Amino acid sequence: EPEVTQTPSHQVTQMGQEVILRCVPISNHLYFYWYRQILGQKVEFLVSFYNNEISEKSEIFDDQFSVERPDGSNFTLKIRSTKLEDSAMYFCASSEASLNTEAFFGQGTRLTVV
Amino acid sequence: ILNVEQSPQSLHVQEGDSTNFTCSFPSSNFYALHWYRWETAKSPEALFVMTLNGDEKKKGRISATLNTKEGYSYLYIKGSQPEDSATYLCAFRGYGGATNKLIFGTGTLLAVQP
């Protein structure tokens, strides 16, 4: 069964460092998303991406964040200068269509900023 | 601010018990309501995508109902098994300004004791 894969599963980084979280969405999907969950809080939307551009982003997704689809298969989230409050589980998801189809999630990358 | 609430926050039941949880969401600009099952260290797994008022969906021992006019959905598990232990998340998808993103509830953590 096709699945969304994310690497690494766990990343520890020093405050101020740049991190890149990687995702391989399901191959025929057109919409890609990043979500995150800070420990003990709700899963929060960060950004959606379609047709090689951001289609929607949340207030969390400020200039420190960027997304890229560098080739036909990968979808990356870059955090330019990490802060302690960026520590969270980051989930990538993809879907065939945007509205009433299910989004398939990866297992997540646990980012710990120290 | 769009708010999605789930109750109870956690639930402990005995194997064989039937149980249900609630998701409440905005009743305006409704497009779809998603239910996910999330086991520790795994990807959230889509259970249902519900779009029509009065919709009822079933997958094995799990079923869900939807009331878009009053803004709630119930998830039922009949004859709970230990393997049903997981966090159950609902997510609201709006129409109009919030077209792509899923807005998640806090989840209901279900523990089924053998």
Side-chain angles (χ1 to χ4, degrees):
Chain A
E1 191 175 322
E3 58 182 14
V4 176
T5 56
Q6 289 185 244
T7 53
S9 55
H10 192 184
Q11 171 122 22
V12 181
T13 189
Q14 291 216 321
M15 195 166 56
Q17 294 295 304
E18 175 182 285
V19 294
I20 297 176
L21 309 183
R22 300 179 195 280
C23 170
V24 180
I26 294 173
S27 61
N28 63 335
H29 285 185
L30 302 176
Y31 293 83
F32 314 112
Y33 312 88
W34 283 101
Y35 289 82
R36 77 173 185 189
Q37 187 188 36
I38 295 171
L39 192 63
Q41 297 184 25
K42 292 182 180 183
V43 175
E44 304 171 288
F45 169 78
L46 292 177
V47 66
S48 60
F49 192 86
Y50 170 70
N51 202 24
N52 285 322
E53 61 183 22
I54 290 173
S55 51
E56 189 172 0
K57 60 183 181 179
S58 71
E59 289 173 357
I60 303 166
F61 195 89
D62 61 21
D63 292 343
Q64 294 288 90
F65 291 88
S66 62
V67 288
E68 204 177 31
R69 189 150 161 83
D71 51 44
S73 59
N74 290 287
F75 179 51
T76 61
L77 175 70
K78 184 193 290 186
I79 309 175
R80 208 180 329 275
S81 176
T82 49
K83 303 188 281 286
L84 294 175
E85 53 266 37
D86 294 327
S87 295
M89 182 75 95
Y90 287 80
F91 290 99
C92 172
S94 69
S95 65
E96 289 180 329
S98 68
L99 294 178
N100 63 349
T101 56
E102 62 191 88
F104 290 79
F105 283 78
Q107 285 184 286
T109 293
R110 179 163 295 287
L111 176 66
T112 304
V113 183
V114 298
Chain B
I1 295 176
L2 298 173
N3 204 21
V4 178
E5 298 293 341
Q6 290 186 248
S7 62
Q9 207 165 7
S10 65
L11 199 51
H12 289 77
V13 301
Q14 293 293 316
E15 183 175 352
D17 287 350
S18 292
T19 187
N20 65 84
F21 347 117
T22 307
C23 172
S24 60
F25 52 85
S27 53
S28 57
N29 293 325
F30 173 87
Y31 198 92
L33 194 281
H34 296 234
W35 279 101
Y36 284 87
R37 180 173 173 276
W38 185 18
E39 285 181 76
T40 305
K42 293 188 177 179
S43 311
E45 173 202 352
L47 290 173
F48 306 114
V49 179
M50 308 180 80
T51 55
L52 298 174
N53 185 42
D55 219 358
E56 191 167 327
K57 296 217 171 181
K58 193 173 178 194
K59 189 186 257 190
R61 293 178 292 98
I62 305 177
S63 60
T65 59
L66 180 69
N67 183 323
T68 60
K69 292 187 190 313
E70 295 180 45
Y72 65 83
S73 175
Y74 294 134
L75 187 82
Y76 300 91
I77 302 179
K78 189 176 173 183
S80 304
Q81 299 296 308
E83 57 266 29
D84 295 329
S85 298
T87 297
Y88 290 83
L89 294 167
C90 69
F92 167 85
R93 193 160 241 166
Y95 188 72
T99 51
N100 283 41
K101 65 186 179 190
L102 291 170
I103 301 170
F104 281 87
T106 45
T108 293
L109 176 62
L110 174 67
V112 182
Q113 302 277 61

